[in-house]
Every structure is written in structure tokens, then in C-alpha cells.
Amino acid sequence: MPKPKKGADGYYRRYFRIDGIEYSVRSKDFRTLADKERKKREQLANKAKPGTESVTVQAWGDSWREVYTTNLRKASQERIRGLQQNYLYPLYGAVKITAVKRIHLQSLLNDMAKTLAKDTVKHMMQMLIAMFTAAVEDDIISKNPAAGLTMPVCRPPSTHRAITERERVILLETAKTHPMGILVQFLLYTGLRPGEIPPLTGADLVGGYVRVNKALEARTNEIKETKSKAGSRMVPIIPRLSAILPDIRPNQYLFPQPRGGLMTKTVMRRMWHSFVLAMNETEAELIGKKRLPKLKEQLPPMQLYDLRHTYCTDLERAGVPINVAAKLMGHSSVKVTERIYTHTGEDMLQRAGSQLSVFWGDGNSDGNDMVNHGKKAAES
């Protein structure tokens, strides 16, 4: 059979007829067309094509996902399923597909853009276009309501930040009693990405270091390699962290979920939400005991990833060279670290002033202070 020609949209197509009705399958790789046709024929044989008047958005969406996304990675398939279940079906799942208009889909995207990240909205738009285009090609609908959809202006992406000293006090006080306390301190004192925590076992605690060479794929809960080659690293465990770590066997998870087994992203998110609520109670208690003053201005909500950002900032305040910090953070380039390594708080400014005074021999210095300072630094 001769190789088919690619269409203007970059896809190869294969057409076939069943009971006088023409169907088509498409793919960017012409070698998969035969397999897709076979699966489509099986689907139609197992489930007779219902009348278009009764097909709902959810019925078509599930069929489309099962037949037309088999060539995608498992993580991509899970993302599509999540978009359908979380955003599309709650509003339009029970609606007949013939009743869906472009204004419905555009309104959905616009509402998502108010609270969700740009990538999520973009993937949703791409899914809607593919899903409804296939419905037209399969004669489920005559007009494509996803044609002409535009990408709305999304909210600015959330930026991570270092937590304040006040938040650090509250966090550490809460960690003393909360079930997630040790895990939170582990993140604060190692700077690991949250996804690098679940795969850790007792075997990864090696000679005062934690070995990082795995991560959790959030959508599939599968253990994979780290985000990049630089992500594979050894991070020192400071004494205050070592003192609270549990004594576990090499094959045990360091931080299993409460019921045992591999910690998932969903469980970790729920635990963090509980921890943040507990921090609010701790703050009120510390204010009541006059250990903390009342906060005049509310801070942005703290995110779990902010602990990694804090670790990087702590490295700078401790005087760790940026190239070493990049290695500890698992950054593939120092330029990534530079975006965080910009702490210019009052303590850093005072240190700079003191260092310049020593360098220039101001005050009672005899000019040898800089040399003496260098010797002390070397000895330490």
C-alpha cells in the first residue's frame, strides 16, 4: 500500500466505511494508522454508534480519549483525563454534544484563566480542539464548537519565595507536634523538590548525606529519574535534621503515606494543607502568649515549594559559593540559582559594610584585619 499524503495540518489520515458511514483516523506517524483503524473498528463493533441526538459530552469525551490518545505518553493521557474530570464534565458532561456552542467552551477557558496556570488552560484548549474536531470527523456533530477558540489572558504565574523569619518560627513550632513535622523540616534543611521526597528509602541516607536520584511522576505516581542529570546529587544532612530522622531499614520509605506505601502527590498536598492550618493556630497561640507581635500586613500564602526556595536563600546567607549551591539544589545551570541567589536583606548589607571596613582598614584596623579575617575563614 502506498504511503498516504500528509494533510495541511501535519496529520496522515485513513478513511474507511462501515454500514455506509465513512470514518477516519489520523496520526502524525503513518505507520500507526492501521492500528488506529483496527481499534476504531473494534470500538464501533463493541458499541454501536448511538444517535447523535443522545450523545453527551462525557460519553464522547471518554470514547475519544480511549481511542484517539493511545499514542500519547501515559502522563499525557492522565492529564487529559484530569482536565475532563475536573473542569469539562462538571459543567458540560451531561449536556448533549450537539447543544455545545463555542461560547460555552470559550467561557470555560476564560473562567479557568482566572485561577489556573497558563499551561493548564493551554492544554485544556488543545484538548477541546482535538476532541471536538474528531467528533466532526466521525459525524457525531456537523459543526465544530471548538473552532476559533482563543487563548485567554491568564493570571500571572505564582512565584516562589523564601519564608520570613516569623514564618520560620511558626513553622518549626508547628513541626514539633504535627504528623508532617519531620517531612517539612527535611524539605527546609535539604532543599529537595517535593517530588523527590516520596521515593527516598533508608538506603538513600548514606554517611551523613541524602542521595537524590529518583523522583515521583505526579500524574502517574510512578518513580522515575530526577528532573535532569544535575538533579542526581548528594545533599548533606545537618545535625539538627539527623537528630529527628526516623531509624528505618534500607528498603523502607523514609516518608510513607499515613497508611503505608508510597507517598503520592495528592496525599502530600492534603498533609501540607493540614500543616498550614495548624500553623495558623500556632501563630494565634504565640501571639496570645506575646511571643510574636500581631502581623500588620498579610503575607502571600505559603507553598510547600517555598521551603526549597528558602534553603537556597539560606545557602547564600551562610556564604556558600553559588556554584556549590547550584550543585546542592540540583540546578543544571548556575543561572537558575542566580534567580534565587539575590538576597539583599539588612543582615547581608551589614555584612558587606563590615567586610569593606575590614578591607580598607577603617576605624582601629591596622591594615592586617583582612589578612587575619582570611586566615580565620580558612581555619574554619
Side-chain angles (χ1 to χ4, degrees):
M1 180 179 294
K3 179 178 177 180
K5 293 183 179 180
K6 185 181 292 187
D9 58 357
Y11 285 90
Y12 295 102
R13 283 181 170 77
R14 188 166 180 171
Y15 299 89
F16 59 96
R17 300 181 72 86
I18 297 179
D19 297 331
I21 300 176
E22 185 176 72
Y23 298 91
S24 68
V25 291
R26 66 175 189 169
S27 174
K28 288 189 175 181
D29 184 356
F30 76 93
R31 290 169 292 187
T32 66
L33 287 173
D35 187 53
K36 296 188 78 169
E37 179 185 341
R38 177 183 59 79
K39 291 180 179 179
K40 180 64 178 177
R41 286 179 178 275
E42 290 177 356
Q43 179 210 13
L44 294 172
N46 294 332
K47 183 178 181 181
K49 180 182 175 184
T52 57
E53 294 299 323
S54 62
V55 177
T56 63
V57 170
Q58 182 166 351
W60 171 249
D62 288 344
S63 296
W64 168 79
R65 189 184 70 247
E66 293 169 4
V67 175
Y68 291 113
T69 67
T70 55
N71 61 322
L72 301 179
R73 294 183 299 113
K74 186 176 180 180
S76 298
Q77 294 179 41
E78 285 299 310
R79 180 179 63 211
I80 289 173
R81 187 185 65 82
L83 290 171
Q84 290 177 329
Q85 296 291 340
N86 296 328
Y87 305 110
L88 180 61
Y89 292 169
L91 289 176
Y92 300 112
V95 175
K96 294 179 180 178
I97 194 170
T98 53
V100 178
K101 307 299 181 184
R102 184 173 66 178
I103 191 172
H104 299 143
L105 304 182
Q106 188 65 59
S107 296
L108 172 62
L109 294 177
N110 294 347
D111 289 340
M112 291 177 65
K114 295 175 182 177
T115 57
L116 300 175
K118 182 178 180 180
D119 276 353
T120 302
V121 182
K122 181 185 71 174
H123 288 137
M124 184 65 171
M125 186 174 76
Q126 292 172 341
M127 185 202 73
L128 291 173
I129 293 173
M131 175 177 151
F132 283 96
T133 298
V136 173
E137 294 176 345
D138 281 7
D139 297 324
I140 302 297
I141 52 179
S142 59
K143 189 174 182 180
N144 188 352
L149 288 177
T150 58
M151 184 69 183
V153 177
C154 300
R155 67 176 177 83
S158 59
T159 57
H160 301 297
R161 62 180 178 87
I163 65 175
T164 65
E165 289 307 309
R166 176 192 178 91
E167 289 174 315
R168 192 190 298 259
V169 170
I170 299 170
L171 181 143
L172 293 176
E173 188 67 25
T174 305
K176 292 179 181 179
T177 55
H178 195 275
M180 196 185 187
I182 297 178
L183 192 159
V184 167
Q185 292 179 80
F186 193 92
L187 288 168
L188 180 65
Y189 295 136
T190 63
L192 268 64
R193 299 177 178 89
E196 294 171 338
I197 291 292
L200 293 177
T201 65
D204 294 313
L205 305 180
V206 185
Y209 291 83
V210 55
R211 177 176 55 205
V212 185
N213 56 16
K214 301 178 290 292
L216 185 73
E217 168 56 59
R219 299 187 186 280
T220 62
N221 287 320
E222 296 177 344
I223 296 177
K224 61 175 186 178
E225 295 182 351
T226 51
K227 187 175 182 180
S228 64
K229 290 184 179 179
S232 183
R233 62 199 188 278
M234 300 289 284
V235 179
I237 301 174
I238 62 175
R240 67 171 60 188
L241 177 58
S242 178
I244 63 173
L245 288 179
D247 186 16
I248 60 173
R249 294 191 294 271
N251 62 341
Q252 287 182 299
Y253 288 122
L254 182 58
F255 296 106
Q257 57 177 307
R259 295 184 179 180
L262 181 69
M263 174 80 73
T264 65
K265 180 182 178 181
T266 300
V267 172
M268 187 180 293
R269 183 170 59 245
R270 289 173 180 169
M271 291 179 66
W272 173 245
H273 178 69
S274 170
F275 190 89
V276 171
L277 293 178
M279 282 184 62
N280 294 335
E281 296 177 0
T282 300
E283 181 179 23
E285 183 180 339
L286 294 177
I287 292 174
K289 294 179 179 179
K290 299 190 182 302
R291 290 176 56 185
L292 283 179
K294 289 186 177 180
L295 197 61
K296 296 181 180 180
E297 185 176 348
Q298 193 67 28
L299 294 170
M302 188 189 302
Q303 303 177 48
L304 190 60
Y305 207 92
D306 290 342
L307 301 180
R308 173 171 165 80
H309 200 104
T310 304
Y311 176 77
C312 190
T313 302
D314 286 347
L315 291 176
E316 181 186 16
R317 296 178 68 178
V320 176
I322 190 170
N323 62 315
V324 178
K327 188 172 182 64
L328 292 174
M329 293 291 292
H331 289 156
S332 56
S333 170
V334 174
K335 291 183 179 180
V336 179
T337 317
E338 286 176 349
R339 294 200 292 266
I340 308 174
Y341 235 54
T342 54
H343 179 73
T344 53
E346 186 177 351
D347 58 333
M348 296 293 284
L349 298 177
Q350 289 176 347
R351 182 186 301 178
S354 299
Q355 290 171 337
L356 285 173
S357 295
V358 171
F359 181 81
W360 290 110
D362 290 343
N364 298 323
S365 171
D366 59 2
N368 293 319
D369 288 2
M370 192 64 187
V371 176
N372 295 332
H373 176 76
K375 289 181 178 179
K376 290 180 180 179
E379 293 170 356
S380 62

